[in-house]
Every structure is written in C-alpha cells, then in structure tokens.
Amino acid sequence: MVSCLLIVFPLVYEDRNLLIIFTQIFIFAIFAMSYDILLGFTGIISFGHAMFFGIGAYSMSIFMKRFEPEMLYVFLALIVGVFLSAIVSYVVGLLTLRLKTHYYAMLTLALANLFYVGAEKWRSLTEGADGFTFRIPDFLRERVNFYLITLVLMVLVYFALKLFIQSPFGKVLVAIKENEQRTESLGFNILYYKIIASIIAGILASIAGALYAISLRFVNTSVFSIDITLDALLMTIIGGVGTIIGAVIGSGVIEFSHYWLTSLVKLHWIFERWIIFFGILYILTVMFFPKGIVGALTALKRKARHEKKHDQSDKMTG
C-alpha cells in the first residue's frame, strides 16, 4: 500500500526538494538494511561499514568519469562495485570475524580508515578530498526516473532480506546472535555464516553507495568516513534493530530531521550545529524507545491485544 502511494507521489505532487529527500531516504534505507543484517540479525557491531559504501560510490564515479555516460557503463560499474565489495568483505571477514565484540568493531574501524587514507593519497584516481564531478546518462538525470529506480530497488531489497531472514540460513544467523556458543555446539560453522552475512551486507552497501554517487554526480573521500557508518547505525537503532522495516523508518526519520533542522538555520544560528540535535534525538530514542520505533509500536500492539483478551475473559467470567 505504502509502495503504491510512493510510486504515485511524483506524478501528483511536483516538488523537487521532496523528490530529492525521498530519493536519499530510499538510498540510505538500503544502506541501513544492509547494516541491520549485521547488527540486528547476526549481532555484529561494525564501525567500518562505510568502506563498502565508498567502494560502490567510487566504482560508479570512476566509470562515469572515464567512459561515456551510458546505461551499459552504469551496470558495469555496479557489477564491479559489487564484485570488489564481495571480495573485500570476504577478506575482512576472514581477518576479523574470529574476534569478539569491541575488538572486531575497532579493527573494522581501522580498516575503514585505511580505505579513507588510501582514497586521500591516491589522487590520480580519486582526486583526494577535493573529489570530482562526473556525467550520468540522461535517463538518470530525470529526477522522477531516478526516484522510481531507487524506490523499486529499496522494495526489492526489503522483500529479499525478509525472505533471507525467514530462510533456514537466516534462522541460524538469529541463533548466532542469541547464543553463539550454543549454536556452535549444535555443529554449525559460526565463521562461515558470519562471513556470508558480511558479504551480503557489503554487496548491498556497495549498491547504496553507487546510487548515492549518482544522486550527487560527485564523489570525494567523505564516502569512506565514519559518519556514513554512524548514520546507518543511528537509522537502525532509531527504527528498530532486527526488524528490517525499522531501517527504512529510521532512514526517513534521520533524513527528514536533517532537512528540517538545516532549513531552520534562517531562524537561528544554533541550527547550524544540527548534529547536536541529532545527538539529542539519539539519546531520547535510547531512553524512551530502547527497542526503536518499530519495537515500541510492537510492544504497544501486544499490550493492547493482551488487555483485549483480559477484558474478554472478564466478561466471560462475569
């Protein structure tokens, strides 16, 4: 139902700014869903997820800069980004996933910083922090076309991940999160399952990065920064860890909050420091919605259902 309304939206309401915001929401929803595979269903906390986002962004940007802006090269760039991200996530998984909790998180952060520094220094390819612009096919220059493409991809990723989580493989991932030792004692190769989850998350993050680069028609080293990973973490936590749909909702909350807060700069200079308000939003969410928006709504629904059953039993006994 919501997907149908979003498809119709650009046809009935022509607002370029809203179209851009929704496009960014769809892109970051894919990125946040990829992070939720790690955090929400496997229990892996990564501070280096931006490295896959950056690989996708730079793959697309370099192809579009070096070759003609045609759809063929867009697909080739997407494939190259996915392939590189799969290899990197496999290697990173082998090197890091044997480590536990904060040790793993710190090592992924170090590896992401390595990519960031590499992009800074390899100026002949990336042009460093200055970045570069590039052309894209005329079909993608049309905001409505790109809006619909990102929407369709987000919906496809959502349903694909729902099926993945409900599969026997996905249930093992959930079991690993709940009790890794017990799952291993049942004969499952924990490292194998974690690496596969990492590869899937890396591939989806790469696709999100490629779409992000197309939306801006510009790329620089910021796509490898920890801020990108923290955005995914915030979106996942605010929406609801381990829910998939929570990543989409969290993306919407963060992007709309960013747009709203930056638009308030005209009213007062303090809104130039909008990141402070993001911090406050995160603190309030953790305090009042520790399970995220989806978790809170689910708890309210269960409570209402329980009270309804309780009232019905009282009427029967009365």
Side-chain angles (χ1 to χ4, degrees):
M1 179 64 180
V2 177
S3 300
C4 293
L5 290 174
L6 288 171
I7 289 172
V8 175
F9 170 75
L11 305 177
V12 297
Y13 190 77
E14 294 183 5
D15 187 318
R16 187 174 180 275
N17 288 332
L18 269 181
L19 209 62
I20 293 171
I21 293 166
F22 272 116
T23 301
Q24 291 295 308
I25 288 171
F26 302 152
I27 292 169
F28 276 98
I30 295 171
F31 186 50
M33 284 189 282
S34 75
Y35 193 83
D36 201 24
I37 290 295
L38 297 177
L39 179 63
F41 295 97
T42 318
I44 298 172
I45 301 174
S46 172
F47 286 154
H49 205 50
M51 74 177 93
F52 309 113
F53 187 88
I55 288 171
Y58 268 108
S59 296
M60 181 61 66
S61 304
I62 292 168
F63 260 77
M64 290 296 97
K65 183 184 178 184
R66 299 287 177 91
F67 301 104
E68 290 297 316
E70 298 174 0
M71 291 302 295
L72 172 63
Y73 293 114
V74 170
F75 289 121
L76 285 175
L78 203 59
I79 291 168
V80 169
V82 164
F83 180 72
L84 290 174
S85 293
I87 292 174
V88 172
S89 58
Y90 175 74
V91 174
V92 169
L94 282 178
L95 294 174
T96 62
L97 285 171
R98 290 185 177 87
L99 301 174
K100 306 296 181 183
T101 59
H102 55 282
Y103 295 109
Y104 170 81
M106 290 300 103
L107 189 51
T108 55
L109 176 60
L111 289 169
N113 282 334
L114 186 64
F115 274 84
Y116 181 86
V117 173
E120 285 272 6
K121 300 299 182 184
W122 198 353
R123 295 187 64 86
S124 61
L125 184 67
T126 66
E127 298 191 24
D130 296 331
F132 59 88
T133 58
F134 54 88
R135 296 177 298 162
I136 60 174
D138 292 336
F139 179 76
L140 298 179
R141 290 174 67 88
E142 292 291 331
R143 286 291 176 182
V144 174
N145 292 343
F146 190 59
Y147 167 94
L148 292 172
I149 287 170
T150 54
L151 172 60
V152 169
L153 283 174
M154 182 194 72
V155 172
L156 288 175
V157 168
Y158 170 77
F159 283 110
L161 289 181
K162 289 290 285 186
L163 290 173
F164 173 71
I165 294 304
Q166 292 167 4
S167 69
F169 191 100
K171 293 185 185 301
V172 174
L173 292 181
V174 175
I176 290 171
K177 180 191 174 184
E178 296 297 328
N179 194 319
E180 186 173 325
Q181 288 75 25
R182 184 176 294 177
T183 307
E184 190 172 19
S185 70
L186 292 172
F188 293 102
N189 185 339
I190 302 299
L191 182 61
Y192 166 77
Y193 283 91
K194 283 185 174 182
I195 288 175
I196 296 298
S198 177
I199 291 172
I200 292 170
I203 286 172
L204 293 177
S206 172
I207 293 171
L211 294 172
Y212 180 72
I214 291 173
S215 70
L216 297 181
R217 303 174 205 170
F218 170 80
V219 71
N220 66 1
T221 53
S222 64
V223 293
F224 283 120
S225 70
I226 190 173
D227 291 346
I228 297 291
T229 300
L230 292 180
D231 280 346
L233 179 61
L234 267 176
M235 291 169 185
T236 306
I237 292 173
I238 288 173
V241 177
T243 60
I244 299 295
I245 191 63
V248 180
I249 294 171
S251 174
V253 170
I254 292 295
E255 289 300 314
F256 270 118
S257 299
H258 182 196
Y259 174 75
W260 178 63
L261 290 170
T262 51
S263 67
L264 292 176
V265 171
K266 300 173 185 176
L267 300 179
H268 199 281
W269 63 266
I270 195 171
F271 291 106
E272 292 179 3
R273 305 290 184 266
W274 54 266
I275 194 67
I276 296 171
F277 294 94
F278 266 140
I280 294 170
L281 176 66
Y282 175 68
I283 292 167
L284 291 174
T285 301
V286 172
M287 287 176 62
F288 297 104
F289 304 101
K291 293 184 179 180
I293 294 171
V294 174
L297 292 174
T298 303
L300 286 173
K301 189 176 179 181
R302 286 176 181 171
K303 185 179 179 181
R305 192 179 298 168
H306 177 74
E307 288 177 354
K308 186 177 179 180
K309 287 182 179 179
H310 185 70
D311 291 341
Q312 288 175 348
S313 62
D314 286 344
K315 288 178 182 178
M316 291 178 65
T317 54

